[in-house]
Amino acid sequence: MNKARAFNPFLCAKTDKLLELIAEVQTQMSGYEAFHQTRKRARRANDQVTFERTVEAILCDLCSVVLEPTDHDCVHLPLSNKTLRTKSRYKGTALGKTLPDILKIMAAPEMDFVVVEKGHSSFKIVDDELNVAFAGGQQTIVQPGPKLLSRIERFSITRGDIGPAPEEEVIILRAPKHHSNSMAEYEEYEDDQTTLALRDQMIAINAWLEGADISCSHQDVNPTHRRLRRIFNNSDFAQGGGSLAGFGKPCPRMNVRSISSSRVIVVWSSTTDR
């Protein structure tokens, strides 16, 4: 049985060898499109950037699935138009309207870079008037295909070749919880002087962390995934802001105690931030 985790669209290549692997896959995908004439014209410049970034994100996350020390062997992701065609500062380029077509090419028999199990939804009749309600379902599952697995081995890809992409939003605003045990949803917001200043601070911290000499012997912590985010609660930038997430750890609780030109002091506890 597949053990899927949520797709992370915010991973990118950090080394030349992973970039070479991605370029090889993109070249083969372009050859597939040309041979099967799946496109009437070349992509516009912006569309080509989106295409390349989406392929990179998929490959990097599937490489991560293979290499990370967990029992996950695939990822699940949404392919509904409602999700992919909705604009959000939290989504990332890869969760866009071109994602289904890109996965279709990557999963084609000639490509075999990914294996796709399409998602499904089920509904039930709830009254005598035959009205229906959503009764559950499963998102689309994507796992590494044979050709990707062979390239991970051939290019000697490791966790250190993968890192966080700079497109990920680092200032998170969460709506009020519906009840105490629920997860707060992310809320859209318009930038102003406050959010711009907060983002500049986080960019400075992340830039320092990117160049810092950080190592960790704990197998659950990937020191190359060191991008931090700042979270605010209850639709209010005056509430929260002290908790950050990073280092490849699922929802750790971190607090930045001080920052200077030479060091950042971060306190990390095992308590999850809900």
Side-chain angles (χ1 to χ4, degrees), residues 173-176 187 232-237:
L173 181 64
R174 298 197 295 199
E187 185 172 297
F232 296 85
N233 300 313
N234 299 318
S235 306
D236 188 348
F237 284 107

Side-chain angles (χ1 to χ4, degrees), residues 187-198:
E187 185 172 297
E188 301 294 332
Y189 60 88
E190 296 291 333
D191 277 318
D192 57 20
Q193 290 184 341
T194 297
T195 61
L196 293 174
L198 290 169

Side-chain angles (χ1 to χ4, degrees), residues 5-55:
R5 63 156 171 77
F7 172 55
N8 180 357
F10 299 114
L11 294 181
C12 67
K14 290 296 184 181
T15 62
D16 289 340
K17 61 180 179 177
L18 183 51
L19 286 171
E20 187 179 350
L21 183 156
I22 293 167
E24 182 176 299
V25 174
Q26 290 174 342
T27 298
Q28 292 195 25
M29 291 176 67
S30 297
Y32 176 92
E33 289 182 316
F35 180 81
H36 290 279
Q37 298 182 347
T38 59
R39 300 188 58 82
K40 295 181 180 180
R41 60 182 66 87
R43 291 182 179 88
R44 295 175 297 181
N46 288 342
D47 294 338
Q48 182 64 25
V49 170
T50 298
F51 170 80
E52 293 178 0
R53 174 68 195 115
T54 303
V55 173

